[in-house]
Each structure stands twice: as structure tokens, then as C-alpha cells.
Amino acid sequence: MNPAAAGAKVVTLKQQPAPVEAHATLRGVTRIFQLPKSTLHALGPIDLDLAKGEFFSVVGPSGCGKSTLLDILAGLSAPQAGTAHFEGKPVNGVPDGVGVVFQEDASFPWLNVRDNVAFGLRRAGVDPAEIQRRVDYAIGFMGLKDFAASFPAQLSGGMRQRVCIARTLVMQPRLILLDEPFGALDQQTRLLMGDELLRLWRETSATVLLITHALDEAAMLSDRVGVMSTRPGTFIDFVETGWERDRDSRVVSTPHFGDITARLWEKLRVEALKIMSAGKS
Amino acid sequence: MSEKWLRLIVVATMILLVELLCRVGVIPRMVMLAPSQMVVELAEILRTGQFSADIRTTFTNIAISTALSIVLGFVAGLIIYSLPALRHALEPLLASYYAVPTFVFYPIFITLFGVGSASIIAIAVLLAVVSMITATLNGLDRIPRVLRKTAQIYRMSRAKTALLVELPATLPYLFTGVKLSVAYSFIGVIASEFILSGAGIGYAIAYAYNLFENGHMYALILLVLVTVTIVNTILNMIDRRLQARRQR
Ligand SMILES: Nc1ncnc2c1ncn2[C@@H]1O[C@H](COP(=O)(O)OP(=O)(O)OP(=O)(O)O)[C@@H](O)[C@H]1O
Ligand SMILES: [Mg+2]
């Protein structure tokens, strides 16, 4: 495709950020792990406001506490200090309306793809006809139609991750947390899955928090990208991308995309270097 | 597949060799029957029903011992798993358990339960149960944390999580314990019958041995071998299916 045309057509900077209502917030959130002989300050203090319907990405060096942040937002673990809120209520246990795609493969090996995807809906007591409809849609959406009867052990790592995405989507969460969901995919598939994720986000008006190590992914998909420092992770920069809502992977060929990626890398490079030099000494 | 055929050829060759050595008299009839003769003898005792009571006793005891070992081992495993301090204390004992020749305790069991099935089952359970405890602990240890997190995200109760996530996740490991429990129950029951019983296949073999009744003795030995082979084949088939799912 023609980069100039794509650039002209797809990219328009928002004039002004619209006034938004906070969907999820973190205030002074700090997580400290108790190790057998010491403590490990993994995260924070973190302040974060996710606007309703926002697509927010987190980039940061390995081990800086990204997954820990996700756990706290999802109510899977409690912070030692600070508070998390979702839809105005303090997070205490997993709130209703939150969906998570974990960094690790979380498919159930004893269930086939269809049953994996339907699992959560069955637990929630959704009507069988409705389950059938949603599961069919999600399986098709994720390109798993031919594998509905396969077991996870028969699928590639990338396909298993798609099963996990599908089973999160069918629950129609209002806040979707994704922890490096495309890590096991090749670059082309990653871009295309990114497009699908954008399409889904537009259709559902869900709030999305995406953790990724790929700067291009963050730059292309997000309304806003948070850059984290080395452990203990805190946000050192927030980059507004200014993409319009109706965007897709073609933005990667625009100069603005290059600018965003460059700014992300500039901040992250410093943090990455810290880890490198710490490793050497 | 070729591996399977090779194994079959090796076993068949050995049987044929023994058959040949028996037929030409290199192995005297007093020492060992020709394999074909063993089959004939087995068919004969099954037809006459001479040992039916012994056979029934033994297999009933093995079934009871297996069932008890699985249930007790699983429950004990759950309890030990949920009490880390207890587990820490028990772990070295469990690890070295099979270094103890359990059979030395047979006088104790006779004193407690008398001569008969109760003592035999007790000794077999004692032998088998620890393999089930170990398998249960191993399975529980290996439940990936992310599966429990997934259950939390679905806002499942503790009981539902145990039943629908933790149990299926541990099943392939539990089945290893089941297989071992079956094997140890066979060993425990039949071996105990030699030393502390007046009934059962083990007793009948010892009895036939003492009376130089080679026909009966080898028929019963063959019966045990055939049964063990069939049971193991079935268990291994189930095991392979479970393991195939486990692979990631
Ligand atoms: N349950 C735990 N117990 C002890 N330490 C933990 C635990 N979970 C995470 N940590 C530590 O906390 C730090 C942050 O971990 P976390 O998984 O959040 O990093 P991350 O940014 O997601 O890393 P990656 O990019 O490699 O996924 C790491 O140093 C990790 O070792
Ligand atoms: Mg992580």
C-alpha cells in the first residue's frame, strides 16, 4: 500500500483530548514480595487513570513489574500500599467485568478449544444458545474454526494464546487486560492480530490495557502508552499517540508512527542500559 | 511401531527357546514345564474350578487394597499438601519409604488382624498407599499458577475451582499413583499370601511347590503373569491418553 496515502487518510491528530471519566485508577500502588530471606520491591508507587474506552499500553524493561501491575488491577493480588479502583469501587478480589489474557499459556489442556472458550460462560450460567453464538463468533474471529475440536497440546503456542484471547472476549469484559498476548506470534500475524484487537476494541467500547515488549505494537495500537522504569517499576513517561479511533496497522508507515516509536525508545533505552550495566558489574 | 514388534519378537523367541529346551529335555520336567504345557494346565484348572476360591480371594483382596490405597493416599495427600509444616516434616520419610521392607511388619499385622484377608490387605495398603500420597503431592505441586488465576478471573468458588480446574489439572499425575497402587497391591497381596495365609493364589502356589505339583504351580504363575499384563496394558493405554493432553 501507499504510505503517503495511508498517512494522509488514516492519521489525524486529535485536536484536544475529550473530557473523560476514569474507568480504573491506581493511586500510590506499591507491591513488595516477601522472599525467604529478603524483600523485593517489585512495583511502584504507581498512579494511573484509565479513561473509559481508552486503549492504553504499557512498555517497560523485563522484570519491571508489568505483570504485577496487571495482577493488582485485576484483583488477583493486593498491593502493600495504595489503592486500586474499578468503576468507582475499590478492587477487592476480581471485580465483575474484568477479563485477563495472561502472559503464560492458560488454556486448560483437558478441554478442547470449544470447551475452553465456553468455560467461563458456562460458569456464569449464560443461556446455552447464547454460549453457542458467542463461542462460534469468537472462534471464527480468532481464526480457530478448523481447530474447535482440537486440544491445546495439538496447537502451536500462538494458537493457544488465541484460544486464551477468544475465551476472554466471549465474556464481554468492560476492562480487558492483556499481558504480552502476541509474544508467541510472528511479526506478520502480530500486526494482523493487532488490527483484530483494534476492531474488537472499537466494536465493544471496552477499556484495554495491553502490556507489550514491542514498541511498534504499543505505538500502533494505543491511544496512550505508559513507559515504565526498571524495577521497582514506576511510570516515567506517558505518550499520547493522537490516533483517531478508526485506525489500523497501516499507521506504521506514517512519519508520526516513527516519532512515537522514537520517543518510546528514547525513554526505554535509558532503562534498558541500566539493566545492561547492572548485569555487567 | 518397529520397537513394539522387536519387543514382541524378543519375548516370543525366549518363550520358544524355553519350549524347545523343555521338549528336548535340557530343562527337566521336575524343574520347569514347557510354556505350552503351562497353558494346558491353566486351562485345566480354570475348567475344573479347583482354585476358583483362591483366585477369587486374591483378586478381591487386590481390588480392595487398590481402592483403599487410592482413596486413603489421595485424602492423605490433600491433607499433607494443605499443612506445609507437616509436609516439611514428612517429606524425608516419604522419600525413603520404599527403602523399608514392609513385609518385616507381618507379625504385627497378624497380631492385630489375625491370619487372613484383613492382614493381607493391610500390608498391601501399607505398601501401596505412599505411592498415591506422593503422586497426589506431585500433581498438586504442578498445577500451573496461571490456571488458578484463570479460575479466579472467572470468579469461581473454592470448591468449583478444586473440582473443575485443580482436579483435572492433577489427573495425569494422580493416574501415575493409581498405576503404582495397582502394581504394589498385586505384589503386596500375593507375596503376603505366601507368608501369612491359608488361601489365595500366593498360598496355592506355595502349597503346590511344597507338594511338587509343578502343573498347578506353573498354571497359577502363568495366571498371575497374564492378569498383570492385561491390567497393565489397559492402564498404560489410559495413561498415554492422559499424558498426551498434558504435553504443552
Ligand atoms: N510471586 C512472586 N514472588 C516473588 N517475586 C515475584 C513474584 N512475582 C513476581 N516477582 C518478582 O517481581 C518482579 C516483577 O515481576 P513481573 O512479573 O511483574 O515483571 P514483568 O515486568 O512482567 O516482567 P516480564 O517482562 O519479564 O514479563 C520480578 O523481579 C519478579 O521476579
Ligand atoms: Mg510479565
Side-chain angles (χ1 to χ4, degrees):
Chain A
M1 82 206 55
N2 181 342
K9 201 171 159 296
V10 179
V11 185
T12 50
L13 288 169
K14 271 187 210 157
Q15 301 311 95
Q16 202 167 10
V20 284
E21 154 201 352
H23 197 202
T25 59
L26 299 177
R27 285 286 171 274
V29 160
T30 304
R31 184 79 170 96
I32 295 162
F33 287 107
Q34 193 63 51
L35 303 178
K37 289 205 179 77
S38 61
T39 57
L40 184 122
H41 185 175
L43 182 75
I46 291 259
D47 291 316
L48 180 66
D49 286 279
L50 293 180
K52 190 149 179 46
E54 181 180 22
F55 197 128
F56 180 76
S57 290
V58 178
V59 295
S62 183
C64 73
K66 301 184 293 295
S67 300
T68 306
L69 172 80
L70 180 143
D71 277 0
I72 291 169
L73 207 47
L76 290 167
S77 69
Q80 270 68 35
T83 53
H85 280 79
F86 175 61
E87 296 180 339
K89 290 191 281 288
V91 172
N92 179 19
V94 179
D96 178 45
V98 174
V100 180
V101 177
F102 292 102
Q103 188 169 14
E104 305 89 354
D105 172 18
S107 58
F108 294 141
W110 59 91
L111 296 179
N112 67 22
V113 168
R114 166 164 279 282
D115 291 337
N116 258 291
V117 176
F119 187 88
L121 293 172
R122 290 187 181 139
R123 299 290 78 70
V126 176
D127 171 62
E130 172 69 4
I131 293 181
Q132 167 104 7
R133 198 185 61 73
R134 287 203 214 170
V135 169
D136 282 343
Y137 178 76
I139 285 179
F141 191 91
M142 283 292 134
L144 294 164
K145 208 156 238 143
D146 296 339
F147 299 94
S150 303
F151 285 87
Q154 299 165 310
L155 305 178
S156 71
M159 288 165 79
R160 284 203 287 264
Q161 199 56 299
R162 277 189 264 160
V163 172
C164 294
I165 297 173
R167 71 142 93 137
T168 302
L169 300 186
V170 292
M171 303 301 287
Q172 303 182 338
R174 299 185 295 281
L175 173 63
I176 307 177
L177 309 173
L178 302 122
D179 199 346
E180 304 200 9
F182 308 140
L185 304 181
D186 58 84
Q187 177 73 10
Q188 304 88 287
T189 317
R190 235 156 37 81
L191 288 177
L192 294 178
M193 290 295 295
D195 279 340
E196 294 304 314
L197 188 58
L198 281 175
R199 186 156 73 86
L200 181 102
W201 167 68
R202 271 196 300 275
E203 282 174 11
T204 62
S205 70
T207 306
V208 172
L209 181 139
L210 171 75
I211 294 171
T212 175
H213 57 251
L215 299 184
D216 57 345
E217 207 168 272
M220 150 189 153
L221 296 173
S222 323
D223 293 320
R224 194 160 60 113
V225 184
V227 183
M228 281 176 82
S229 67
T230 48
R231 185 170 58 79
T234 53
F235 283 111
I236 50 173
D237 197 12
F238 288 103
V239 179
E240 300 263 358
T241 62
W243 304 126
E244 59 184 34
R245 199 169 165 84
D246 190 11
R247 58 182 174 257
D248 63 33
S249 59
R250 283 173 296 176
V251 301
V252 299
S253 53
T254 65
H256 184 55
F257 174 83
D259 294 345
I260 299 166
T261 317
R263 174 153 167 210
L264 293 177
W265 176 232
E266 191 190 321
K267 293 286 178 179
L268 209 53
R269 187 172 167 273
V270 181
E271 299 303 313
L273 282 172
K274 280 185 203 162
I275 293 183
M276 296 281 282
S277 56
K280 269 180 211 141
S281 60
Chain B
M1 205 60 199
S2 69
E3 185 189 306
K4 213 162 148 185
W5 283 110
L6 194 64
R7 185 159 52 236
L8 199 66
I9 290 168
V10 170
V11 173
T13 312
M14 278 168 53
I15 293 173
L16 279 175
L17 191 70
V18 174
E19 179 81 28
L20 196 74
L21 293 176
C22 290
R23 290 285 173 98
V24 299
V26 176
I27 301 177
R29 221 196 114 79
M30 283 301 293
V31 174
M32 191 172 179
L33 293 190
S36 60
Q37 192 60 36
M38 291 182 198
V39 176
V40 172
E41 294 281 353
L42 176 56
E44 181 64 15
I45 61 164
L46 290 179
R47 195 182 58 76
T48 61
Q50 186 181 351
F51 293 103
S52 291
D54 290 307
I55 293 169
R56 216 173 303 121
T57 305
T58 297
F59 289 139
T60 306
N61 286 349
I62 289 173
I64 293 171
S65 160
T66 304
L68 279 177
S69 303
I70 291 170
V71 174
L72 292 177
F74 181 66
V75 172
L78 289 181
I79 292 169
I80 295 170
Y81 181 80
S82 63
L83 300 170
L86 177 68
R87 177 175 184 176
H88 209 69
L90 288 183
E91 205 112 69
L93 299 181
L94 293 176
S96 55
Y97 184 81
Y98 285 103
V100 177
T102 315
F103 291 98
V104 299
F105 300 120
Y106 91 90
I108 302 172
F109 287 102
I110 292 183
T111 328
L112 282 175
F113 301 113
V115 176
S117 287
S119 288
I120 289 173
I121 291 169
I123 223 167
V125 168
L126 195 68
L127 192 64
V129 73
V130 171
S131 64
M132 190 65 198
I133 294 176
T134 309
T136 305
L137 290 173
N138 188 30
L140 291 170
D141 283 342
R142 282 166 194 260
I143 300 173
R145 208 166 37 180
V146 72
L147 296 190
R148 289 198 171 112
K149 279 189 183 177
T150 303
Q152 274 180 278
I153 290 296
Y154 288 138
R155 296 150 59 87
M156 290 162 69
S157 67
R158 193 71 204 80
K160 278 264 163 74
T161 303
L163 193 67
L164 296 173
V165 175
E166 292 171 334
L167 185 65
T170 45
L171 206 59
Y173 298 93
L174 293 182
F175 198 75
T176 305
V178 170
K179 268 172 60 177
L180 289 170
S181 292
V182 171
Y184 281 123
S185 292
F186 263 92
I187 296 171
V189 166
I190 294 177
S192 306
E193 285 170 351
F194 280 103
I195 48 176
L196 46 77
S197 174
I201 296 176
Y203 167 76
I205 290 174
Y207 190 83
Y209 168 77
N210 285 327
L211 295 183
F212 304 103
E213 285 176 349
N214 267 1
H216 289 161
M217 187 178 88
Y218 279 110
L220 291 166
I221 291 174
L222 184 62
L223 177 67
V224 172
L225 285 179
V226 169
T227 312
V228 168
T229 307
I230 292 170
V231 169
N232 261 306
T233 307
I234 294 169
L235 290 176
N236 282 332
M237 250 159 54
I238 300 171
D239 199 26
R240 263 201 303 279
R241 294 186 61 156
L242 288 172
Q243 303 296 339
R245 301 268 167 86
R246 180 159 79 187
Q247 260 163 35
R248 293 221 162 196

